[in-house]
Amino acid sequence: MTTRDKGEWRSSQPEFTLPAVTVGLLIGCLLCFTNLYFGLQTGWISMMSLQSALLGFLISKLLPTPLSPQELIVVQTTAVATGTMPLAAGFVGILPALGLLEEEKDGSPPIHLSWISAIGWSCSVAFFGVFLSPPLRKQVIIEEELAFPSGTATAQLISVLYKQPPPNPSLRRRAGYRALDTEDPLESTGDQSGEIDRDTQEIATRIETPDECEVIQQEGWQDLAYSFLASGVMTLAAFFFPIVFAVPLFGRYLAREWLWSFTPSLSYVGQGIIMGFPTTLSMNLGMLVGWGLLSPLSKWAAWAPGPVGDMATGARGWILWVSLAIMCADSLVSLLPVCQSYIVKLLSSYRTLKHTDDPIQEAGAEDETPERLVPPSWVVSGLVSSILLGTLLVWLVFGEEGIKTWATLVGFLLGGLLSVLGVRALGETDLNPVSGLGKISQLFFAWIQPGNVVANIIAGGVAEAGAQQAGDLMQDLKTGHLLHASPRAQFYGQLIGSFLSIIVSATAFNLYQRAYTIPGPSFPAPTAYVWLNLARLLRDGQLPARSGLFMLVFALLFAVNAGIKVMAIRRGHPYAKWIPSGVAFAIGFLNTPSFSIARLIGGLVEYWYHRRKGSTGGRDIRLIVIASGFVLGEGVVSVLTLILRTLGIGVISCWGCSGGICPGCPA
């Protein structure tokens, strides 16, 4: 099946195959529904690249001809492209934010896109970042050899599953690979517009022998089936009896008046396992500060006199501003070292070209043949076409009153520049700060098109989409580079996955809008308020009472915290993972305590499991398979509950609710 080339292995079979694409689309559609469901609930989505590889490997065993390792990389690339579209196209943030517009405050009535308009908007932003990736690959993967820890870990895992020689371990001694070399690897947190993602790169480094992949082949399906079934049954029970997911653990008064309840969702537990204990701990510290201290303080001081859960006049809306300050400060400070290294790299390249007699000499040589690469002509024509088509589609969907045509073009150009920063940040730290990049675009557009809230939000969405898709594909291209998969095959998979996901995401979002109020009690879409509130602040500069002081204090605090964390990670200090993550801390503010507590349970399970059971590869893989089953179980069954609600089938009994404890129930 493979041939050896310069000490490494390479597939001798076709890589872009119908089975690989089909399996990738199947997994990706499951992830798409799951990410849309959880994104609208909590603002959290996951790239799930490592989990996609695991699921693809399991499904591969059921096929007449098992997939090759390179085909599995195409599976993973296609699945990730399909699964992350709810974020890239703004279904969990941008579109709900536009639906919250008020003509008196924002100069525009609420904008609710029809199905065809949602398709048009998605097409406008879905492909720009994909065409940015091939030229960036040559720079950041071939020449600079940036780490991309999650992509490297996935490559290590795939090589073990197929009992093949692992990627060249000498690369791990380069700067940026310390997290893969330490005995207690640092956690990987991905900023998904405030959403936390941890691809658990340490799993691959803990695999001691290739024989441990037998754990997956023999017990993986059983683990996945049981965890999927348990989570699905619990989700269905909560649909008919809402109290199942709204347990008044701290008493009915706190649950009803202060939103302190508990959601024993196995999917949240699974998310906590994937995130890891340090990240869930940061999230719950934010929950305690936001909901345990600042929320009561703002209520009792009459800074937020409305009901606690009201986003306009209540404590939840008040602490949202503090959360916004934390996320912006953390993201911007985390980008500074990336900007510095990029400038140093450019200056170094300039000096080299100026003083060398051989300016064509490169730091890294391309190891793929031209027929396996994406031709430059495709890149140029694709970028030009995606920008022009995107500008036209934005104009058709939102009109000249929404955003000027020239401003949309500027938004794409700015999005391209910011995508470079996002890709470099991802390569060096495993963090793609798309929320921070989107906010930078909002700040810029507050200057060039002042007073236009709609344009401000759209411009932020364009920048976020470009950075998100370029980063996702670059992480996958790193995996492919280490295992000699065809970049062109991965490029095809990304395009196909993105195209199908446009239809799937738009259709699912349209169904959710028909069945539920979005944002609403069941799907609060917390990141929508982050986008809208920043746009409003940049328009009129008005803040809720006393919130400005707290925003400044927490922004300064977490700017310093982010700086310390970045330096600790770069130096490979083992305590770096215990320094609170600013984005995770802010997520604790965005979501009610019920969401954070369940994830902390998952983080504790992960911590306890490794402490008591040991950290060998097979056991770690089993744990991540079980966690994936928990997450997918609720995500898939949510499609069934959506259909039931659309057909008019709903709650059987509100027993135990006792007046407004359960989301969506009348008080």
Side-chain angles (χ1 to χ4, degrees), residues 18-185:
L18 181 60
V21 174
T22 303
V23 172
L25 291 176
L26 173 63
I27 296 173
C29 287
L30 295 179
L31 295 180
C32 183
F33 277 107
T34 300
N35 279 333
L36 181 62
Y37 173 76
F38 291 119
L40 290 173
Q41 275 194 342
T42 69
W44 183 90
I45 79 161
S46 174
M47 182 178 171
M48 298 283 278
S49 57
L50 189 144
Q51 288 80 4
S52 297
L54 287 174
L55 291 173
F57 180 79
L58 290 174
I59 296 174
S60 170
K61 295 302 177 181
L62 303 178
L63 300 178
T65 302
L67 301 177
S68 69
Q70 285 77 21
E71 285 179 292
L72 186 60
I73 292 174
V74 173
V75 169
Q76 172 211 325
T77 304
T78 307
V80 170
T82 310
T84 56
M85 187 58 68
L87 172 64
F91 287 102
V92 300
I94 301 295
L95 298 190
L98 293 175
L100 291 169
L101 294 172
E102 299 177 25
E103 190 154 13
E104 293 184 1
K105 285 185 178 180
D106 309 309
S108 171
I111 298 176
H112 299 285
L113 299 186
S114 64
W115 180 80
I116 191 64
S117 296
I119 292 284
W121 158 251
S122 301
C123 288
S124 71
V125 297
F127 303 107
F128 174 62
V130 179
F131 288 100
L132 279 175
S133 299
L136 291 178
R137 171 188 176 273
K138 178 67 184 277
Q139 176 67 30
V140 300
I141 293 180
I142 304 300
E143 296 186 8
E144 298 183 42
E145 295 182 329
L146 296 186
F148 291 97
S150 290
T152 300
T154 305
Q156 292 171 326
L157 175 65
I158 292 173
S159 67
V160 169
L161 293 176
Y162 283 91
K163 301 182 181 180
Q164 297 288 349
N168 186 359
S170 64
L171 291 177
R172 293 169 56 196
R173 292 195 291 269
R174 296 181 183 272
Y177 283 81
R178 298 187 192 93
L180 296 175
D181 286 328
T182 55
E183 293 182 1
D184 187 15

Side-chain angles (χ1 to χ4, degrees), residues 386-533:
S386 61
I387 292 174
L388 294 179
L389 178 62
T391 302
L392 174 63
L393 289 173
V394 169
W395 176 77
L396 290 174
V397 172
F398 296 104
E400 195 75 7
E401 298 79 14
I403 182 171
K404 303 293 184 183
T405 302
W406 63 265
T408 304
L409 287 170
V410 172
F412 276 109
L413 296 177
L414 179 62
L417 295 175
L418 295 176
S419 296
V420 174
L421 293 180
V423 166
R424 293 188 62 84
L426 186 66
E428 294 183 11
T429 68
D430 217 28
L431 170 72
N432 191 355
V434 293
S435 67
L437 297 174
K439 309 254 177 326
I440 292 174
S441 184
Q442 285 188 277
L443 291 171
F444 182 77
F445 266 77
W447 173 56
I448 68 169
Q449 199 168 356
N452 191 328
V453 173
V454 175
N456 193 276
I457 294 174
I458 293 173
V462 169
E464 182 183 61
Q468 173 71 33
Q469 294 225 303
D472 286 351
L473 182 53
M474 199 62 62
Q475 194 84 269
D476 296 332
L477 286 172
K478 178 68 175 185
T479 305
H481 170 68
L482 292 174
L483 299 184
H484 284 291
S486 165
R488 188 180 295 193
Q490 292 184 265
F491 179 75
Y492 290 152
Q494 179 85 11
L495 287 177
I496 292 174
S498 297
F499 181 78
L500 177 64
S501 190
I502 288 172
I503 301 173
V504 174
S505 299
T507 303
F509 183 74
N510 187 263
L511 291 175
Y512 274 114
Q513 280 189 310
R514 293 182 181 182
Y516 298 92
T517 300
I518 298 178
S522 298
F523 295 96
T527 55
Y529 293 94
V530 175
W531 284 101
L532 181 59
N533 282 4

Side-chain angles (χ1 to χ4, degrees), residues 501-635:
S501 190
I502 288 172
I503 301 173
V504 174
S505 299
T507 303
F509 183 74
N510 187 263
L511 291 175
Y512 274 114
Q513 280 189 310
R514 293 182 181 182
Y516 298 92
T517 300
I518 298 178
S522 298
F523 295 96
T527 55
Y529 293 94
V530 175
W531 284 101
L532 181 59
N533 282 4
L534 179 58
R536 285 175 172 172
L537 175 63
L538 295 173
R539 181 176 188 259
D540 53 35
Q542 293 183 358
L543 290 169
R546 298 295 180 91
S547 62
L549 175 62
F550 285 87
M551 289 175 69
L552 179 61
V553 170
F554 276 87
L556 292 175
L557 177 64
F558 277 91
V560 173
N561 178 83
I564 295 173
K565 189 174 181 71
V566 167
M567 288 189 293
I569 291 175
R570 282 176 167 252
R571 294 177 181 177
H573 290 302
Y575 62 79
K577 68 178 180 179
W578 299 109
I579 300 174
S581 162
V583 174
F585 191 91
I587 290 293
F589 282 55
L590 286 182
N591 293 314
T592 57
S594 61
F595 299 113
S596 298
I597 295 172
R599 285 171 177 159
L600 179 62
I601 292 175
L604 288 169
V605 168
E606 185 256 359
Y607 182 77
W608 171 86
Y609 190 88
H610 290 150
R611 293 274 295 183
R612 297 293 298 272
K613 301 292 185 180
S615 295
T616 62
R619 289 176 181 150
D620 281 348
I621 291 175
R622 288 196 68 184
L623 183 62
I624 211 66
V625 167
I626 292 171
S628 300
F630 285 157
V631 174
L632 292 174
E634 182 166 337

Side-chain angles (χ1 to χ4, degrees), residues 305-392:
V308 170
D310 191 283
M311 283 290 193
T313 62
R316 187 173 190 180
W318 193 90
I319 64 174
L320 176 68
W321 289 98
V322 183
S323 172
L324 175 61
I326 294 171
M327 283 193 289
C328 287
D330 185 88
S331 298
L332 292 176
V333 171
S334 298
L335 276 174
L336 290 179
V338 177
C339 295
Q340 179 192 23
S341 65
Y342 188 55
I343 293 172
V344 170
K345 177 68 178 178
L346 289 177
L347 292 176
S348 176
S349 300
Y350 172 76
R351 294 192 187 102
T352 301
L353 291 173
K354 187 176 180 180
H355 296 95
T356 184
D357 295 329
D358 185 16
I360 302 178
Q361 183 178 3
E362 297 179 352
E366 179 60 71
D367 60 349
E368 294 291 353
T369 54
E371 67 272 8
R372 290 165 59 86
L373 296 172
V374 180
S377 59
W378 293 12
V379 173
V380 174
S381 59
L383 281 173
V384 172
S385 300
S386 61
I387 292 174
L388 294 179
L389 178 62
T391 302
L392 174 63

